[in-house]
Amino acid sequence: QVRLLESGGGSVQAGGSLLLSCAVSGPGASRSALGWFRQAPGKSREFVAVVTWTGSMTDYEDSVKGRFTIRKFTVGRDSAKITSFLQMNNLQPEDTAVYYCAAKPSAMADLPRSDFDYWGQGIQVTVFS
């Protein structure tokens, strides 16, 4: 069971930045692709970004390319501490949503956009104009 816990959400004016963090733990965490998704009010949850479990490759939804950056950091022996970061710059009101961190046990080069197995509880991001 992979466990995920998001932090770092909040409110920001349009054009501003926020950094989301996701602490990842549990068996299989080190071999999981890590993704970020979001769900705006009245809309379905959508893919935002993903990083391979190696941390070497990334993929983004078109509307966030050039503004958002996903990173994976692993610290300690046996991947004792894994964190996924989503740096969000030039935020716009349409980025307002609940953001979710997710994990999917994957092959080394996989960049999945769906069918994630484990989810965090979500964190609110609000961008006001």
Side-chain angles (χ1 to χ4, degrees):
Q1 181 83 13
V2 177
R3 297 177 296 276
L4 305 107
L5 182 64
E6 302 97 338
S7 61
S11 296
V12 64
Q13 193 169 19
S17 298
L18 281 174
L19 176 65
L20 302 184
S21 301
C22 178
V24 188
S25 61
S30 63
R31 294 291 190 270
S32 292
L34 300 178
W36 287 91
F37 292 75
R38 64 187 180 186
Q39 186 167 17
K43 295 186 177 181
S44 58
R45 188 160 55 190
E46 66 173 0
F47 165 79
V48 174
V50 63
V51 59
T52 55
W53 65 256
T54 61
S56 61
M57 293 187 291
T58 58
D59 188 26
Y60 298 92
E61 192 270 330
D62 285 348
S63 70
V64 307
K65 283 181 180 177
R67 299 190 299 125
F68 291 11
T69 302
I70 186 171
R71 290 283 186 266
K72 175 189 177 183
F73 288 94
T74 302
V75 178
R77 181 177 298 177
D78 299 326
S79 303
K81 184 174 181 180
I82 298 172
T83 307
S84 173
F85 295 100
L86 186 68
Q87 175 67 49
M88 305 185 295
N89 298 328
N90 190 23
L91 283 160
Q92 300 301 316
E94 53 266 34
D95 295 315
T96 294
V98 176
Y99 282 71
Y100 297 88
C101 179
K104 179 180 175 63
S106 303
M108 188 180 298
D110 281 358
L111 288 166
R113 290 190 169 207
S114 62
D115 300 322
F116 278 68
D117 301 280
Y118 305 101
W119 295 86
Q121 82 287 353
I123 194 163
Q124 179 69 44
V125 171
T126 302
V127 185
F128 55 92
S129 56

